[in-house]
Amino acid sequence: FDQPASQENPFPLYKRLRDHHPIYHDRFHNRWVLSRYHDIDGAFQDNAAYDRAVYKPDGPYRFGSEHVFGPNILEYGTSTQHRWLRNVVAGQFVGNRLDAFVPIIDRIAAELIERFAKDGQVELVKQFSHQFPIRVISNMLGLPREDEDTFVEWYQALIAGLGFGGEHLARGIKARNGMWEYLTPLIEERRARPGEDLLSRIVGAQLEGERMSVEEIKGFVALLLAAGGDTTDKAIANMWYHMMYTRPDQFEDVKKNPELWSNVFTEMMRYDPVVHMQFRYTTREIELHGKVIPQRAGVILYLGAGNRDERVFKDPDTFDIHRDDLHMGRENRSGRYADGKPGHLGFGIGQHFCMGYAMARQESVIACTRLAEALKNVRPKFATHPGIRSPSIDSGGFRSPDELWLEFDA
């Protein structure tokens, strides 16, 4: 799992796991691995048997004290606190409430594109995708525009803090503390004089008369900034990589019908998603494929493997935005769709289904659409590309190209 070759191209290993070891005990890391689509789907649906929390909600651990995001919704597993926190804020990221922020998404995309529109070339990762979602989120939160660059720096440090190196965690914690100090007076101001921005909505959101604490608000903003921002950042880069290098023939279809960017997003999330794994702990012994996973065992759900399962998808190793065996519309929490087609696993399913799914999709599709409109005769600058890869194991982050150079007619 940790070899450079598997970091760059894990899919041959995924296939061996699906075919020969659908439940695999990785003794080196002391964890179990699920790699087939329906087994992963079953684990997502069974919160009674698979828990996300490392610590017990009623134990001595002070939640957030060892996490780069601080106390956040991911740490609370399937507890009552998790459900309460989720219900307080979930409605802020769907439907009309999200649509109200579309003008911000459009404006930030236009501003970033203007910076390189006359250059005839762009390194899309550094000059656009790294910048775009963080600037969108900071504007949605209603933060001062002159502080956008600072938020980009905090985001990069928070993401690196998810890795395994102690120095990365230290920098991540330092960035978190700086951001928390910055947010404290803003939260107090929004409580006294709420506006229409997202921070005001989060501060004022309540369920059964109860609101989030200041620490919980800060933890949620850190999660939104880092996890939400990184997902969209990588999604945009991955979508353009596939259009430029994997399926330039289908890019011609997208140019004729920009609504197909939504299909590009969906197929990207199936073919080689931004996040390839999620972690769970078993709450009881689980019998699967003739083996028994013990209680409180660590289990890796390999989303990237399940999304390439030949038992579910035809020709799964081909990137195809026109495939008829994948649900191409918006995702939902149940993972069950009226068209009867399976969806990708990239956002999870069930209680821990990604709350920011609609925002990530909308931001990615709008950004790619605006780029395609603005960059005339856009094409890859180099004939070959090393491809999408996982970052080094010690630095955090998700799968994406390290860089992506494009040329266009200025």
Side-chain angles (χ1 to χ4, degrees), residues 47-64:
N47 289 303
Y50 296 90
D51 190 5
R52 188 167 191 162
V54 177
Y55 294 98
K56 295 181 179 180
D58 56 352
Y61 173 69
R62 182 172 174 264
F63 279 84

Side-chain angles (χ1 to χ4, degrees), residues 282-301:
T282 57
T283 62
R284 58 174 173 79
E285 291 185 341
I286 298 171
E287 186 174 0
L288 193 64
H289 296 297
K291 294 190 176 183
V292 177
I293 308 175
Q295 183 175 349
R296 287 308 287 176
V299 180
I300 294 288
L301 311 180

